[in-house]
Amino acid sequence: MAMAAPTGSAAPVAPALCGHLALLLLLAAPAAHGYSFPQQHTMQYWARRLEQEIDGVMRIFGGVQQLRGIYNENRNLFEVKENVPRKLVEKVAGDIESLLAKKVRALKRLANAAEKFQKAHHWQDNIREEDIEYYDSKADTEYDDPDGEEIEREKSNSLKLEFTEDANFKTKVNYSYAAVQIPTDIYKGSTVILNELNWTQALEDVFIENRKEDPSLLWQVFGSATGVTRYYPATPWRAPNKIDLYDVRRRPWYIQGASSPKDMVIIVDVSGSVSGLTLKLMKTSVYEMLDTLSDDDYVNVASFNEKAKPVSCFKHLVQANIRNKKVFKEDVQGMVAKGTTDYKAGFEYAFDQLQNSNITRANCNKMIMMFTDGGEDRVQDVFEKYNWPNKTVRVFTFSVGQHNYDVTPLQWMACANKGYYFEIPSIGAIRINTQEYLDVLGRPMVLAGNRAKQVQWTNVYQDALGLGLVVTGTLPVFNLTEDSSDRKNQLILGVMGIDVALNDIKRLTPRYNLGANGYVFAIDLNGYVLLHPNLQPQIINFREPVTLDFLDAELEDENKEEIRRSMIDGNDGQRFIKTLIKSLDEQYIDEVFRTYTWAPIKSTNYSLGLVLPPYSTYYIQANLSDQILQVKYFEYLLPNSFESEGHVFIAPREYCKDLDLSDNNTEFLENFIALMEKVTPDSKQCDNFLLHNLILDTGITQQLVERVWKDQDLNTYSLLAVFAATDGGITRVFPNKAADDWEEEPEPFNASFYRRSLDNKGYIFKPPYRDAGYRGLDLENNTIGILVSTAVELSIGGKTLKPAVVGVKLDLEAWAEKFKVLASNRTDRDQLGARRCDPSTSCEMDCEANNKDLICVLIDDGGFLVLSNQEDHWYQVGKFFSEVDANLMSALYNNSFYARKESYDFQSVCAPEAQSNTGAAPRGVFVPTVADILNLAWWTSAAAWSLFQQFLYGLTYSSWFQTEEVAGDSMEARETSCIMKQTQYYFSTVNATYNAIIDCGNCSRLFHAQRLANTNLLFVVADKPLCSQCESIKLLQAEVRAPPRDPNQCELVDRPRYRKGPHICFDYNATEDTSDCGRGASFAPSLGVLLSLQLLLLYSSASQHPLPPAACL
């Protein structure tokens, strides 16, 4: 417990009277050898000496005043331009709208052509594979088996194409053809697939024509309801090393385009008859069903026997976002079969869920999905009570497992409630039958005709063909054929999509004129960011969209909640707010002022925002019309000038189209110089704004070298380097040899010291970050430097801006010695050890003479150690102080010197958690006998095809080949996205001097803490701990993996964030024909694939080790 005696105007932290008395007595009482703890006025004197020393060094070497003068002297070389937020937002929103409108025109042309081609197509019952000419994108794909041997491919009639490397697609393409991808678990020789290939071939001409009109078009894709994908231009399929199970119908963009939003309740029969493999099939089916839902959908999952109950903590429908679906998937694994079946309990629960109007939901396409092994009850009374005669809720029933039950009641339920009946006899039937309900939901859309042809723009997601982050414009394609009775067909043919890379949208946004801390962002109707500097997913996961909420991309507060709501509502606005932000390195929190300006992007679901700090209202635009001066300044970029003028790092920006970028700054500088010898800064292929500003800042920083740095001896003040960094992209480090140890980003806008210096007044200290496990280096051979930086603020014609940051790099060891002297009672004339104290002449301890009894430290505003009088602390400089002295850091936190901010990173990647194996026998998998293998009829049987599907899913879900005793099998044991918990500390509003006692009985410690003016430092003096009885819980700062259910999704869903779904719903049409309402699972086998994989299947079923899972697509 720490009791504090504050001074100044700050309020005390609930001090007890006895605490005050104890503190006063301890402060006054002499310690061993006649020393007493330093008095408050003494420590305030030391603090002033430290402040003066820092300020003096920065005034001499930083050159802030001199740099201001240099800018003013060169006033004729640049203009001060203004960022007008509303005009910027309006222009960028208009540019993005125009970009997307061009893609929409191409999309509509494709969808219309597809409907026309399909309507004109004549179905062929006797069509053969050799009759179809197409490029099979997987024809040349190599697959490896678990032992690393190549699996024999099926024979293919695919066209043989040549490909050319293309910068836009980041891969090799062929612009003369489209490519076809067919999921491995679909037999490409079936009549349905061959007819699909036949009529979609005509799309190639439209693809090519679209590209002629808009050469910037990226992937043009038709995803068919049969599973066939035809995309342009042709390129080989980017498949994983294992069996490729990519299916376009499970892609986020297809799901969004194929149906209106859904309110879904999944009920699972867990009665005693559902055991073993059947229960496992049900769990996997629910898992796959959840993957057919997007963020526009709402869902709940319940299990039932005699009673129904939710499988998770969710008591009502919740948004089908990634985090909620993850909770469902984890909890579904815990379902246990017992009791008897009561369909009535399950259906009444589901209908009650769907009738709850007091919650946020989709209010469209209400449906119940029931998974069961069979039963006799039709629960007609329940349907009469809840659903008839309007039948607003569709019922889909799934008969799961191999059994002999009468399925007529299940078929009746589906048919009587505008749904569909499916059979899932084996693992291989799951994927097909858990996604085909979308065809039923598509019926009202098809019947609505042109009203339902709404272009939708998706969430951000990872492109499966390597483009990186993209959004896709989607448009449903309808079957326009009619039957002999002139009844309209009600089947959706598929979804047409056109990709837009996020990088292409980013190019339309301003960047460098906004300064280091200004940025543009955009969000969709869910509040998810489309553009944001913090949108940086760490994992390539093709199955899940990238859904980062605006309030998770930034530190949430009430102002941002209101801004987000206004943007979702499609309003425009502007607000000046005070808010918290994380530093770029995520170690610090700063309280800053920002102006948020926003407006909708018309004809889309997106809204655009601009964030500007006050000092970025104005910026410099260089105007180097004097070519002689251009050449002069440019020469200071040449390496032969570095020895005398200091080393120059240039920001790796796209100054010119032909400039080769490189992560190695030396190589990048060489590329830049080579290009500048061929072109001028005014060349049309170059960004004149970037180039002129770069060259201007080269000259201005060189003048700083001449006027300030060259005339000073850095060693006198124990400096390793001096430096200046600018908005124009120059970082100049002096002397040249100091560049060898320079570890900061060459792009100032990506350097934490640069961005924090702009947002904070005074001198910002930045020690080298060390994690808890760092053990230090030999200081004699490895010099450690501490950066101290400050922003250069200009006022030109009443316009304030900060175009540069200057600073010094302190030699840690030398400054630690200097720190001890400054925090001591020795004057400049005293010699070390000259003072003597004894019991009769009591005197105060100091940080130099009494470093064995007194700990003196400087800690920065993030809680990281900067300097110490303890030599064994030197290698710990840069560590979070709780790793150095947990007891003292806890006292500082408890006495309100520091506040704490916890947040979550939802974009991290984690290795899969190891699964235990109890050594029990492997899961039972049917293995054919030798007689079966020799029997040709067996190979074309449903058993063979089911077995093949079982094998495919075994590759995807390793748990299928694991032991039964493995609890909670992970469905996807692969590297996956995860949530990391972050904790940052920052100075609270307390700005007083504190004397305090850490009360631990006989082991109490005194400490004093005081902020150093005009810095981000806290000066702390404390007794060394006398014993270990005063240990405190160590405060954690390092990022850690969030524990399960942290953040608590069960609580978050009860206060959902504001969102809007699509404004149009197509879930009803009076002319819908519901007579087609049920069938079982039927699969046409591919003999070639079966033969090639049979030996592997035998091996897999016999092995004690599970096969590795397939890569995520």
Side-chain angles (χ1 to χ4, degrees):
M1 174 181 177
M3 293 176 288
T7 64
S9 59
V13 186
L17 178 61
C18 59
H20 279 297
L21 293 174
L23 177 60
L24 293 172
L25 289 171
L26 282 167
L27 288 171
H33 311 297
Y35 291 110
S36 64
F37 192 80
Q39 297 293 314
Q40 179 177 306
H41 65 84
T42 301
M43 291 180 282
Q44 289 176 334
Y45 168 68
W46 294 345
R48 285 194 296 274
R49 291 176 70 178
L50 289 166
E51 292 164 358
Q52 291 166 3
E53 184 72 12
I54 294 166
D55 185 64
V57 170
M58 289 299 290
R59 285 182 181 275
I60 295 171
F61 292 95
V64 173
Q65 296 294 342
Q66 294 90 333
L67 195 53
R68 284 198 190 109
I70 294 170
Y71 273 107
N72 285 320
E73 290 171 16
N74 290 277
R75 183 66 185 79
N76 62 314
L77 300 180
F78 62 86
E79 299 176 66
V80 176
K81 295 286 189 178
E82 183 178 2
N83 285 314
V84 182
R86 290 188 185 274
K87 288 185 177 179
L88 282 173
V89 169
E90 182 181 346
K91 180 184 183 306
V92 175
D95 290 344
I96 295 175
E97 179 190 355
S98 298
L99 172 72
L100 299 183
K102 290 172 66 178
K103 315 306 176 189
V104 167
R105 287 194 291 272
L107 191 59
K108 290 181 176 179
R109 192 181 300 118
L110 277 168
N112 291 334
E115 290 174 347
K116 183 181 70 174
F117 294 151
Q118 196 275 338
K119 187 175 183 180
H121 174 255
H122 296 288
W123 180 269
Q124 301 178 47
D125 286 323
N126 299 320
I127 194 169
R128 300 175 303 171
E129 278 193 77
E130 50 266 33
D131 297 334
I132 307 298
E133 188 179 74
Y134 68 100
Y135 171 65
D136 181 354
S137 62
K138 296 196 291 185
D140 299 320
T141 303
E142 303 289 343
Y143 296 114
D144 296 333
D145 76 357
D147 291 331
E149 296 180 4
E150 183 183 335
I151 294 176
E152 181 183 345
R153 296 193 301 268
E154 286 187 274
K155 292 182 180 178
S156 173
N157 296 318
S158 173
L159 294 171
K160 304 299 181 184
L161 303 183
E162 293 185 357
F163 301 94
T164 305
E165 194 70 38
D166 188 279
N168 291 330
F169 289 92
K170 303 177 183 178
T171 189
K172 293 182 177 182
V173 300
N174 184 309
Y175 282 110
S176 299
Y177 294 90
V180 170
Q181 189 273 351
I182 301 173
T184 307
D185 55 349
I186 290 180
Y187 177 42
K188 68 177 65 173
S190 73
T191 305
V192 171
I193 298 300
L194 293 177
N195 275 278
E196 193 82 12
L197 293 173
N198 194 15
W199 76 260
T200 58
Q201 190 169 0
L203 288 173
E204 288 194 358
D205 292 337
V206 189
F207 288 147
I208 293 170
E209 194 62 32
N210 273 346
R211 180 178 175 269
K212 288 180 180 177
E213 291 196 16
D214 181 5
S216 67
L217 277 177
L218 296 175
W219 301 120
Q220 303 175 63
V221 187
F222 175 60
S224 167
T226 63
V228 172
T229 305
R230 191 179 285 271
Y231 60 91
Y232 175 87
T235 190
W237 188 247
R238 292 167 63 100
N241 291 331
K242 308 303 171 199
I243 298 299
D244 174 36
L245 289 179
Y246 174 97
D247 190 321
V248 68
R249 295 167 298 182
R250 306 189 81 84
R251 299 290 284 138
W253 64 269
Y254 184 95
I255 293 170
Q256 183 170 324
S259 65
S260 292
K262 301 174 277 294
D263 284 324
M264 177 187 291
V265 179
I266 301 172
I267 54 176
V268 186
D269 179 0
V270 291
S271 59
S273 62
V274 179
S275 59
L277 185 59
T278 300
L279 182 59
K280 186 69 177 180
L281 287 169
M282 287 186 181
K283 293 178 180 180
T284 309
S285 297
V286 173
Y287 189 101
E288 289 289 334
M289 181 66 73
L290 289 168
D291 277 345
T292 68
L293 302 177
S294 72
D295 291 80
D296 289 334
D297 304 321
Y298 283 75
V299 65
N300 202 356
V301 182
S303 61
F304 71 92
N305 38 41
E306 300 95 340
K307 295 181 179 180
K309 62 179 182 179
V311 299
S312 70
C313 57
F314 302 144
K315 306 304 180 186
H316 52 74
L317 292 172
V318 297
Q319 187 183 12
N321 58 39
I322 292 172
R323 289 179 232 164
N324 289 338
K325 288 192 290 187
K326 183 177 181 182
V327 172
F328 282 128
K329 291 175 181 179
E330 290 172 351
D331 290 342
V332 159
Q333 297 308 307
M335 292 191 306
V336 177
K338 61 181 180 180
T340 59
T341 305
D342 184 357
Y343 285 160
K344 185 175 182 178
F347 276 109
E348 285 187 338
Y349 177 89
F351 279 113
D352 287 340
Q353 289 278 300
L354 293 171
Q355 288 183 353
N356 184 357
S357 59
N358 296 323
I359 58 167
T360 305
R361 56 182 184 175
N363 284 317
C364 188
N365 275 318
K366 298 177 179 63
M367 68 195 71
I368 298 171
M369 324 297 274
M370 182 179 72
F371 294 91
T372 180
D373 63 343
E376 297 179 358
D377 190 1
R378 300 191 177 201
V379 290
Q380 182 172 337
D381 57 330
V382 175
F383 298 134
E384 289 174 348
K385 176 182 177 181
Y386 289 96
N387 204 38
W388 293 354
N390 295 327
K391 300 182 181 180
T392 56
V393 177
R394 296 182 188 267
V395 174
F396 295 86
T397 55
F398 299 81
S399 175
V400 183
Q402 302 278 359
H403 53 74
N404 296 318
Y405 298 128
D406 180 13
V407 299
T408 304
L410 299 180
Q411 291 174 325
W412 180 88
M413 290 181 199
C415 294
N417 293 280
K418 297 172 63 175
Y420 211 89
Y421 164 74
F422 298 96
E423 289 181 6
I424 302 178
S426 65
I427 183 69
I430 291 177
R431 275 168 64 97
I432 295 294
N433 289 312
T434 54
Q435 68 193 21
E436 291 203 345
Y437 77 93
L438 292 171
D439 291 344
V440 178
L441 300 190
R443 291 172 183 171
M445 290 180 63
V446 177
L447 295 172
N450 290 331
R451 288 191 304 114
K453 291 183 179 178
Q454 304 285 331
V455 174
Q456 296 189 67
W457 289 96
T458 67
N459 297 328
V460 177
Y461 69 95
Q462 291 277 2
D463 173 50
L465 288 170
L467 275 182
L469 295 179
V470 299
V471 293
T472 299
T474 66
L475 196 59
V477 180
F478 301 152
N479 190 329
L480 301 183
T481 60
E482 298 176 349
D483 63 17
S484 56
S485 304
D486 293 333
R487 285 187 305 178
K488 293 174 62 177
N489 194 297
Q490 56 185 18
L491 290 179
I492 188 169
L493 290 177
V495 177
M496 199 67 72
I498 288 184
D499 288 348
V500 178
L502 282 198
N503 285 337
D504 289 342
I505 299 178
K506 286 180 184 177
R507 291 189 186 99
L508 301 176
T509 65
R511 176 66 184 100
Y512 298 107
N513 59 300
L514 303 181
N517 290 317
Y519 57 91
V520 170
F521 70 98
I523 66 172
D524 64 14
L525 294 179
N526 278 301
Y528 299 145
V529 293
L530 163 74
L531 298 174
H532 198 285
N534 294 335
L535 178 63
Q536 299 174 350
Q538 300 300 304
I539 188 168
I540 297 177
N541 189 335
F542 299 121
R543 295 187 67 179
E544 297 177 352
V546 180
T547 53
L548 178 66
D549 196 283
F550 169 65
L551 297 178
D552 294 323
E554 306 197 357
L555 293 177
E556 182 176 357
D557 60 37
E558 289 185 6
N559 282 315
K560 291 176 184 174
E561 285 181 19
E562 293 172 9
I563 290 169
R564 177 182 176 276
R565 175 182 285 265
S566 179
M567 294 179 73
I568 290 173
D569 286 340
N571 301 323
D572 55 17
Q574 187 174 72
R575 183 174 291 192
F576 182 70
I577 67 173
K578 181 166 71 171
T579 187
L580 297 178
I581 64 167
K582 277 187 212 173
S583 64
L584 196 64
D585 56 15
E586 299 184 328
Q587 308 299 329
Y588 299 91
I589 295 283
D590 291 313
E591 188 174 58
V592 300
F593 289 96
R594 294 288 189 266
T595 297
Y596 281 73
T597 308
W598 62 93
I601 302 174
K602 296 175 183 177
S603 302
T604 73
N605 300 328
Y606 304 132
S607 183
L608 186 79
L610 170 67
V611 181
L612 270 185
Y615 50 81
S616 290
T617 301
Y618 300 99
Y619 63 96
I620 284 176
Q621 179 172 303
N623 181 20
L624 297 177
S625 55
D626 186 342
Q627 294 189 357
I628 297 176
L629 191 61
Q630 287 182 15
V631 173
K632 177 183 176 183
Y633 284 179
F634 178 74
E635 287 178 350
Y636 298 131
L637 283 175
L638 302 178
N640 59 18
S641 70
F642 290 176
E643 197 58 43
S644 60
E645 311 298 331
H647 192 100
V648 174
F649 297 93
I650 68 171
R653 301 174 181 175
E654 295 184 27
Y655 300 100
C656 299
K657 292 180 180 177
D658 294 336
L659 179 60
D660 294 329
L661 300 179
S662 173
D663 292 333
N664 184 303
N665 201 256
T666 301
E667 183 179 323
F668 178 70
L669 180 60
E670 291 172 354
N671 296 342
F672 177 80
I673 292 170
L675 183 63
M676 287 296 99
E677 291 174 350
K678 301 175 185 177
V679 301
T680 69
D682 298 309
S683 170
K684 290 184 178 179
Q685 67 158 296
C686 297
D687 186 320
N688 303 139
F689 170 75
L690 290 183
L691 267 181
H692 278 254
N693 278 27
L694 179 80
I695 296 173
L696 172 67
D697 286 356
T698 303
I700 283 179
T701 56
Q702 187 276 334
Q703 293 175 46
L704 182 65
V705 176
E706 293 295 332
R707 298 189 188 185
V708 181
W709 297 347
K710 278 188 176 180
D711 296 334
Q712 303 294 339
D713 181 7
L714 302 187
N715 292 326
T716 302
Y717 285 86
S718 306
L719 303 183
L720 300 175
V722 288
F723 61 89
T726 71
D727 275 1
I730 291 293
T731 302
R732 190 180 291 274
V733 180
F734 184 89
N736 184 39
K737 65 179 181 180
D740 296 340
D741 300 318
W742 187 256
E743 297 178 349
E744 305 304 315
E745 289 283 342
E747 170 57 82
F749 285 15
N750 291 339
S752 183
F753 82 87
Y754 191 86
R755 295 171 66 154
R756 295 203 69 219
S757 296
L758 295 174
D759 272 328
N760 293 277
K761 294 182 179 179
Y763 308 123
I764 304 303
F765 282 68
K766 179 181 177 292
Y769 174 71
R770 311 294 188 199
D771 61 28
Y774 181 76
R775 289 293 173 261
L777 300 168
D778 181 357
L779 290 181
E780 293 182 4
N781 300 322
N782 297 275
T783 304
I784 297 175
I786 298 169
L787 291 189
V788 188
S789 57
T790 188
V792 178
E793 184 173 297
L794 300 182
S795 182
I796 300 175
K799 301 172 182 176
T800 302
L801 62 158
K802 297 180 179 180
V805 168
V806 296
V808 301
K809 192 173 186 180
L810 309 179
D811 182 330
L812 166 64
E813 192 171 358
W815 270 78
E817 295 294 340
K818 188 189 293 280
F819 168 58
K820 289 195 289 185
V821 173
L822 292 170
S824 74
N825 298 321
R826 178 158 65 101
T827 66
D828 294 338
R829 290 172 294 179
D830 291 336
Q831 298 298 316
L832 182 61
R835 283 188 310 110
R836 289 285 183 269
C837 285
D838 55 54
S840 61
T841 60
S842 129
C843 56
E844 294 176 291
M845 292 188 287
D846 67 37
C847 299
E848 180 187 31
N850 307 96
N851 62 345
K852 293 184 179 180
D853 302 304
L854 205 62
I855 292 176
C856 303
V857 292
L858 291 178
I859 312 171
D860 71 14
D861 55 331
F864 297 95
L865 179 62
V866 176
L867 283 175
S868 173
N869 71 332
Q870 304 296 308
E871 190 168 341
D872 61 343
H873 285 178
W874 292 355
Y875 78 89
Q876 299 188 82
V877 163
K879 281 189 177 183
F880 185 58
F881 191 59
S882 193
E883 299 292 340
V884 182
D885 192 329
N887 177 243
L888 185 52
M889 184 63 195
S890 293
L892 293 172
Y893 175 68
N894 292 334
N895 281 277
S896 300
F897 277 99
Y898 286 94
R900 180 168 62 188
K901 184 72 175 179
E902 292 183 343
S903 59
Y904 296 90
D905 178 4
F906 296 99
Q907 303 179 90
S908 295
V909 57
C910 297
E913 295 181 352
Q915 295 184 350
S916 61
N917 193 318
T918 61
R923 179 180 305 286
V925 177
F926 169 72
V927 179
T929 64
V930 173
D932 287 328
I933 295 173
L934 295 177
N935 184 350
L936 184 60
W938 182 87
W939 285 100
T940 58
S941 68
W945 185 239
S946 175
L947 190 55
F948 168 55
Q949 294 162 339
Q950 188 166 291
F951 171 74
L952 293 181
Y953 278 76
L955 292 177
T956 305
Y957 306 121
S958 58
S959 58
W960 280 94
F961 292 120
Q962 291 179 7
T963 60
E964 287 285 359
E965 285 74 6
V966 178
D969 290 340
S970 170
M971 284 297 186
E972 296 181 345
R974 57 173 177 256
E975 190 175 68
T976 184
S977 58
C978 61
I979 301 172
M980 300 297 286
K981 190 173 185 177
Q982 298 178 335
T983 306
Q984 287 90 10
Y985 291 79
Y986 59 101
F987 285 154
S988 67
T989 54
V990 174
N991 198 23
T993 298
Y994 270 73
N995 286 320
I997 179 173
I998 305 172
D999 187 9
C1000 293
N1002 295 330
C1003 298
S1004 296
R1005 297 175 68 187
L1006 285 167
F1007 77 90
H1008 170 91
Q1010 178 171 335
R1011 294 266 292 273
L1012 293 190
N1014 209 36
T1015 73
N1016 66 326
L1017 297 179
L1018 182 69
F1019 176 37
V1020 183
V1021 178
D1023 283 329
K1024 270 196 171 181
L1026 299 177
C1027 57
S1028 60
Q1029 295 176 14
C1030 210
E1031 292 180 353
S1032 299
I1033 296 175
K1034 185 185 294 184
L1035 298 176
L1036 297 179
Q1037 187 277 333
E1039 184 178 67
V1040 295
R1041 185 168 184 170
R1045 304 298 167 87
D1046 184 16
N1048 192 330
Q1049 286 297 116
C1050 306
E1051 296 177 0
L1052 292 178
V1053 295
D1054 288 329
R1055 50 180 193 278
R1057 287 171 173 166
Y1058 182 70
R1059 66 174 294 276
K1060 277 188 174 180
H1063 61 282
I1064 297 181
C1065 170
F1066 297 97
D1067 62 354
Y1068 173 77
N1069 191 289
T1071 64
E1072 179 184 347
D1073 179 7
T1074 62
S1075 60
D1076 180 14
C1077 57
R1079 57 169 174 73
S1082 60
F1083 298 82
S1086 173
L1087 183 58
V1089 175
L1090 286 171
L1091 287 169
S1092 64
L1093 292 176
Q1094 182 61 19
L1095 289 177
L1096 275 174
L1097 179 61
L1098 293 168
Y1099 165 79
S1100 303
S1101 60
S1103 172
Q1104 296 290 328
H1105 304 288
L1107 292 176
C1112 179
L1113 304 176

